[in-house]
Each structure stands twice: as C-alpha cells, then as structure tokens.
Amino acid sequence: MKRVKQVVDQALDSGFYVILDIHHDSWQWADSMSTDHDKVLTRFNATWTQIATSFRNESAKLVFESINEPRFESADNTRKAELLNELNRSFHSIVRKSGGNNTKRLLMLPTEVCTPDQRLMNNLATTIKSLRDPRLIATVHYYGYFPFSVNVAGTTRFDATVQKDLSQTFKRIHDTFVAKNIPVVIGEYGLLGYDHGPGAVERGEMQKYFEAFGHTARTNKVTTVLWDNGAFFDRDKLRWKDAGMYGQIKSSWSTRSATASTDNVFVPKTGRVKDRTLTLNLNGATFKALKHGTAKLVNRKDYTPGRQPADVEGGSAHPARREPRPWCQRDASGRVLPGRPLADPGDHPGDSGAVGHDRDDERVPDPHAVPG
C-alpha cells in the first residue's frame, strides 16, 4: 500500500486525475463469489477498508472504482446481478463511512465485465438510483465492433457496420445514464488488435475510428480513458510512439476531422495509372486544396472533381512510379504535419468538397481537415 500511495501522490502532484480500483482481482479471486461468497466478500471489504483509510485525505482528483470488469463464475444472470449489486453497495458504504474527503469523493461503479449491454446498464442504473448519492459515476469499457477491433472475419474497414455499433453503443449509454443525470466514464477504450502492435489494424481506418469515437463521446457528454499497455506511449522515452495518431485522438476532443473513403490506392509498378475515385467524408469541413508535401496539386490536371460533391478522380497522364508512401495528418492544434499531403479545410464548414488522387504516388492522402 505504501508503494501505491507513492505513485498516486506523484500523479496527483503532477496535476493528473487518478482512478484507483482493484483490477485483476476480478478474475484472480473475486469471480468465485458465487461459490465462495463469504470469503470473497470478506476479502473485498478488507481491501477497500484499507484503501479508504489510506487515501481518505487525498484531493478530489482521486476517484475510486469498486472493481474492474467484475465477473462471476457458476452463476446465472440474475445471480450475477445480485452479486455485483452487493459488491458495489458494500464498496459505497465502506468508503463513505471512512471519513475525511471520502464522504464526498467521486465513486465509480461498473457494469458486469464493464460491458455496455443494455440489460447490464439497466442493472447498474437501478443500483445507482437506490444509493441516492449524487457523486456516483457509471463506468463501462468500449473497444469497438469486435471483428474490426481485432481484424478478423474480413472486417478491415471502419464501415457502416462498425460505425453503427459505435453510435448505437453511445446512444444506449447516453439514454441510460447521461439523460438521467448520471455521469459516465468510459474507463477503457481503444482497439484490441492494437495491443499486438500498430500493424494489426490498418492505420487510416484506425484514425477514422478514433476520430469518430472522440466526436461521439464528446457529443454524448461521456468522459473517456484511453487504455494503453505500452502500444501508444513509450514509457522509457516519455513520448507518444505515433505522434500523428495521438494528434488525431487529441483533436477529436474538441473538433472533427475530414476523412477519405480509403488511404490506400494500389497501382501497377510500371505502366500507366488508371483513374481512381475517392470520397471525402467532410464531417463539417470543406475541401480547399490537395497537396503533395508543400506542392499544391492542380484542379482538373492532377485531379478532377467527380459527379458527386465529395468525389474526385485522379489523373492518369503519367506512368506510375514508386515514391515514399505519403500520409495526411494534422496535429492537435490543426497544424499540418510537414511533408504529408493534405486536403485543407475551407472557410465555410458544411460546403461540398473533394479529395484527389496524387497520380504519381501509390497511396492517396487520408485528409484530416479541421473545420474552418
């Protein structure tokens, strides 16, 4: 406990908010509660009595969560709901009675396995309502539509199915909690495949996911916590491993970005390049320009706007040649990262726009334009 307190204090002193929970305990011993009820409950209560006593004078920036991803073996749905309700209520009672700042500290209560399933969220909403405590937070986790999240079953794109799963999940969360004045924290989010390295999910599609996730969370008034086991942030060098990806995540907290239907166009290694058509999802931005590095491409010479307002065709006047694979990204302030093609925002959000194919490269930009 001394070491835990040292780390918590270091984080608080650095200006961070801290969420403190019992984490892997959920599957290491707490999951046997249905068959070893008294032993598990006694250990759970003893753990939280110790934590509450040790941290009762910490600032309000320290938040307690009863248990991470709680699960219960050898129990039906009704019994699981009863057991989680018992743990959450016991946790609440212990912390509130421990005195100090714990009498008004924000407390987070999870659904079963932190899953945003409607039945499980209904159970949690009932528990929160029964406690009559305005300083309670509901918490769930979200890692996206599973096949996309782990790159299986041919689901490699942030397509309509993946988008629907995202929007419907947040609608359930909002309607169950936020609309009833119960705050929500997504205690973990990300993509499961990313835990195995950045190549597990195609980067452009992953950027679309994080752009849409941030926007959807923000518009539904849900706070989020990015789960990182070392894939995002280099803890030795104290820097983000992919600054562009972090910039996309951070910018989504306050604004939208435009995205293209794809950031990959494959062309023959030799010979003439055929026209390719891409669609720009403007998301409130407008198409202003298409650049390759610092060179501004010429409308109707290097690319041609298509019949649809946000479609464009790339020219095919020159043989293909292999070039470094460009990428389009803005940082969190909206500044263009150097040396990467860009579809700039215009001055009138909501107008039609287009994205073009750079005929001399084997990839097309995935523009991330901040609304003008």
Side-chain angles (χ1 to χ4, degrees), residues 157-170:
R157 293 189 178 278
F158 186 63
D159 60 18
T161 300
V162 183
Q163 294 171 42
K164 183 178 179 181
D165 185 85
L166 175 66
S167 61
Q168 289 188 341
T169 297
F170 272 93

Side-chain angles (χ1 to χ4, degrees), residues 9-84:
D9 287 343
Q10 287 174 342
L12 293 173
D13 290 344
S14 297
F16 288 99
Y17 283 84
V18 176
I19 298 173
L20 183 60
D21 66 11
I22 58 175
H23 204 81
H24 294 306
D25 310 73
S26 59
W27 56 265
Q28 290 177 333
W29 53 267
D31 59 347
S32 63
M33 188 175 181
S34 61
T35 56
D36 200 3
H37 176 275
D38 293 349
K39 183 178 179 180
V40 169
L41 184 60
T42 297
R43 183 173 181 179
F44 179 86
N45 289 346
T47 301
W48 271 112
T49 297
Q50 184 181 9
I51 296 172
T53 301
S54 299
F55 293 92
R56 62 187 169 193
N57 294 320
E58 296 285 0
S59 78
K61 286 191 172 183
L62 174 62
V63 179
F64 291 159
E65 178 186 5
S66 60
I67 183 169
N68 172 72
E69 297 186 348
R71 63 201 69 197
F72 306 99
E73 303 297 334
S74 305
D76 60 19
N77 289 338
T78 300
R79 184 58 177 154
K80 290 176 181 178
E82 293 172 347
L83 293 173
L84 180 54

Side-chain angles (χ1 to χ4, degrees), residues 164-300:
K164 183 178 179 181
D165 185 85
L166 175 66
S167 61
Q168 289 188 341
T169 297
F170 272 93
K171 185 178 188 306
R172 292 196 303 269
I173 292 170
H174 178 274
D175 292 350
T176 306
F177 299 116
V178 179
K180 299 174 183 176
N181 296 317
I182 300 172
V184 178
V185 170
I186 303 289
E188 294 181 17
Y189 81 91
L191 289 172
L192 295 171
Y194 202 84
D195 283 354
H196 302 286
V201 179
E202 201 278 321
R203 189 174 186 272
E205 301 305 304
M206 186 160 48
Q207 285 183 304
K208 294 179 193 177
Y209 166 80
F210 283 120
E211 192 279 332
F213 178 92
H215 167 73
T216 307
R218 176 165 50 87
T219 55
N220 282 280
K221 300 181 180 179
V222 174
T223 299
T224 61
V225 180
L226 178 67
W227 174 259
D228 179 31
N229 66 354
F232 287 95
F233 191 74
D234 189 324
R235 286 161 170 76
D236 292 324
K237 298 179 180 178
L238 300 179
R239 67 186 185 189
W240 293 92
K241 293 182 177 180
D242 186 337
M245 186 65 69
Y246 170 67
Q248 177 62 78
I249 292 172
K250 187 174 181 180
S251 68
S252 73
W253 302 342
S254 58
T255 190
R256 293 223 67 179
S257 297
T259 63
S261 53
T262 181
D263 68 302
N264 288 295
V265 171
F266 297 94
V267 298
K269 185 175 182 179
T270 60
R272 299 177 68 85
V273 178
K274 295 181 179 180
D275 287 349
R276 297 290 190 272
T277 300
L278 295 182
T279 299
L280 177 62
N281 306 307
L282 297 171
N283 294 330
T286 55
F287 177 80
K288 183 177 179 181
L290 183 64
K291 296 180 181 179
H292 179 213
T294 58
K296 186 174 181 178
L297 303 183
V298 180
N299 184 5
R300 301 189 182 280

Side-chain angles (χ1 to χ4, degrees), residues 279-338:
T279 299
L280 177 62
N281 306 307
L282 297 171
N283 294 330
T286 55
F287 177 80
K288 183 177 179 181
L290 183 64
K291 296 180 181 179
H292 179 213
T294 58
K296 186 174 181 178
L297 303 183
V298 180
N299 184 5
R300 301 189 182 280
K301 178 182 178 182
D302 299 314
Y303 65 92
T304 304
R307 292 183 178 87
Q308 298 299 320
D311 288 347
V312 76
E313 289 186 353
S316 56
H318 298 290
R321 68 174 192 265
R322 298 182 65 82
E323 299 283 353
R325 296 188 169 191
W327 195 267
C328 163
Q329 177 64 48
R330 285 178 175 269
D331 66 14
S333 67
R335 181 180 62 86
V336 179
L337 297 179

